[in-house]
Amino acid sequence: MMPQIDFDERPFIAIWETTQACDLACVHCRACAQPSRSSEELTTIEAMRLIDEIAAMAVPVFVLTGGDPLKRPDIFEIVRHAAERKVRISLTPSATPLLTRDAIVQLKEAGLARLAVSLDGPTAEIHDAFRRVPGSFQWTMDAVRWAREIGLPVQINTTITRHNFHQIHDVIELLEKLDITLWSVFFLVPTGRGQDIGLLSAEEFEQVFAILHQTAQRALFDIKSTEAQHYRRYLLQRRTEARRQHSLPGERLPQLMPAMTADGIGRAPQGINDGKGFVFISHRGEVFPSGFLPLSGGNIRQESLAKIYRESPLFVALRDSANLQGKCGHCEFREVCGGSRARAYAVSGSPFAEEPCCVYQPKRRVEREESVVACD
């Protein structure tokens, strides 16, 4: 089990956008990535300093993302420095010709703990149309195989949108044939290029939740959601229902507390949210509550990451559930869920607005409305 974490003091997970350069042109890209690197990226020295801060804060999970981290020629040096500082590193490269077997071997030798690659469809036709580069599907499949051949744990990231909503079962069938550690399911936040993709409805979110829960009963890999905090509410409801029925035969109760995976990278604790146990550092050093919530709390070139995370008014406010508005503010699940602050901001313009893709009606809100009617 992972130790309890005080989200006011440190995040459970920190993600650094190493670069926005990428040779893919994904339809959902929050960063609107381009092929060329920016001159404003953190330098190698600044990257090392950031890793030292991550180590000092004892952040359990540190993810190198992009763009494509392999567009940085110093990426192996960066991974090696993190490993030397005992920071558990996960890296999310793009599936392009840069992702060779030799690159994966070098990453493992440098100390990489987990490789995370994206798979957004069960076939090359669906996946490549999403990534908008022919061959991306096969590069992903090759990368998974190469990583497992050398004993490097693999995570698969899948973004659920309308393009693959009806292929989820086929994606799962493919994943069950792969030797992976974790399936991370991303739920679209309409930002960047993703603004042009229609959101799933709240009812469709619930359908996906049901599929994830059913899959978790049999899958040999862990499943987590990203920007679908209300999946925790769904799991709690299922746990309550299972206990009420004295546990359904053959059903594994949903796990909500953090635990260690095989590669030593823990599952996220309950209650984690944008700015609350989660921090994102951009390629320019801007510190955001999430890569999908473009409100900056400061820049690590001017202040330490610890100071920004602990003291920035934005981060402090996001960690206070009393600031939640709409039905999220009334919800009895607000401490373990809280709704996606990034999606709330993208849809309403306020990071404290209610989750726009949740069907649940809080009991406290219903009771209050009923009492008002009774008084009338």
Side-chain angles (χ1 to χ4, degrees):
M1 297 292 290
M2 291 286 294
Q4 197 67 27
I5 294 176
D6 182 353
F7 289 156
D8 287 330
E9 287 298 310
R10 62 183 172 127
F12 172 80
I13 181 170
I15 297 183
W16 171 38
E17 177 189 64
T18 58
T19 179
Q20 284 195 340
C22 181
D23 293 327
L24 299 179
C26 307
V27 297
H28 74 305
C29 184
R30 52 148 196 90
C32 298
Q34 305 296 323
S36 301
R37 294 178 60 196
S38 168
S39 60
E40 298 180 2
E41 290 175 5
L42 296 184
T43 65
T44 303
I45 293 176
E46 289 173 322
M48 303 299 190
R49 189 179 304 127
L50 171 60
I51 290 169
D52 292 344
E53 288 193 63
I54 293 292
M57 293 176 73
V59 178
V61 180
F62 187 42
V63 180
L64 305 182
T65 187
D68 182 6
L70 291 177
K71 295 285 278 187
R72 289 189 64 125
D74 60 355
I75 195 63
F76 304 106
E77 183 182 356
I78 289 170
V79 171
R80 185 172 294 105
H81 182 74
E84 291 172 351
R85 294 303 311 272
K86 309 302 181 184
V87 174
R88 302 292 292 179
I89 286 277
S90 176
L91 183 137
T92 62
S94 299
T96 74
L98 292 177
L99 188 57
T100 63
R101 191 181 195 283
D102 182 62
I104 294 173
V105 169
Q106 288 187 60
L107 287 168
K108 185 175 187 294
E109 291 176 344
L112 186 68
R114 180 189 295 173
L115 184 76
V117 291
S118 294
L119 182 66
D120 298 297
T123 64
E125 180 183 10
I126 297 172
H127 175 90
D128 290 356
F130 190 69
R131 296 288 161 177
R132 297 203 294 187
V133 171
S136 180
F137 178 84
Q138 189 58 52
W139 286 316
T140 295
M141 292 294 98
D142 289 342
V144 173
R145 175 168 52 84
W146 292 331
R148 297 310 299 129
E149 285 175 352
I150 62 173
L152 180 62
V154 173
Q155 169 181 324
I156 293 291
N157 298 333
T158 301
T159 300
I160 302 295
T161 65
R162 295 211 171 276
H163 92 285
N164 62 3
F165 173 65
H166 297 292
Q167 283 80 41
I168 296 176
H169 288 291
D170 293 332
V171 170
I172 293 169
E173 183 178 351
L174 176 57
L175 293 179
E176 291 179 325
K177 299 175 183 177
L178 305 177
D179 180 18
I180 65 171
T181 298
L182 176 71
W183 184 30
S184 183
V185 184
F186 287 68
F187 289 76
L188 181 72
V189 173
T191 187
R193 293 194 193 112
Q195 295 179 66
D196 299 325
I197 306 175
L199 276 174
L200 296 181
S201 68
E203 290 76 18
E204 288 168 331
F205 265 66
E206 294 292 304
Q207 293 176 41
V208 178
F209 292 167
I211 293 170
L212 298 185
H213 177 256
Q214 292 163 7
T215 304
Q217 307 310 308
R218 68 174 189 275
L220 299 179
F221 48 81
D222 286 325
I223 299 174
K224 70 175 288 289
S225 64
T226 296
E227 295 299 349
Q229 288 81 350
H230 43 318
Y231 180 48
R232 300 174 203 142
R233 180 265 304 161
Y234 180 91
L235 291 179
L236 281 169
Q237 289 177 307
R238 291 293 295 130
R239 177 181 284 272
T240 300
E241 179 184 339
R243 282 177 171 165
R244 185 178 296 120
Q245 298 177 13
H246 306 292
S247 294
L248 301 177
E251 180 174 30
R252 192 170 62 198
L253 289 176
Q255 180 166 337
L256 295 172
M257 295 303 292
M260 299 300 291
T261 50
D263 53 7
I265 295 180
R267 302 188 191 98
Q270 62 183 25
I272 193 170
N273 208 319
D274 301 330
K276 182 181 180 182
F278 193 106
V279 67
F280 181 95
I281 304 97
S282 82
H283 66 294
R284 295 188 179 97
E286 293 291 329
V287 180
F288 299 107
S290 158
F292 303 101
L293 180 51
L295 297 175
S296 176
N299 192 298
I300 61 170
R301 284 171 164 154
Q302 282 81 50
E303 299 178 279
S304 71
L305 177 63
K307 181 177 176 63
I308 295 170
Y309 178 81
R310 293 167 182 163
E311 301 178 16
S312 161
L314 172 64
F315 278 77
V316 171
L318 285 169
R319 290 196 290 270
D320 186 355
S321 63
N323 290 320
L324 295 178
Q325 300 166 357
K327 66 181 182 181
C328 285
H330 298 286
C331 188
E332 61 270 29
F333 294 106
R334 67 181 186 175
E335 298 299 339
V336 296
C337 170
S340 168
R341 299 300 92 220
R343 189 176 298 106
Y345 177 79
V347 172
S348 73
S350 170
F352 303 105
E354 67 181 42
E355 163 64 62
C357 297
C358 179
V359 300
Y360 185 69
Q361 293 300 321
K363 292 179 181 178
R364 287 164 55 184
R365 186 179 193 180
V366 171
E367 291 170 356
R368 176 178 296 183
E369 291 172 350
E370 289 177 345
S371 68
V372 170
V373 172
C375 291
D376 291 343

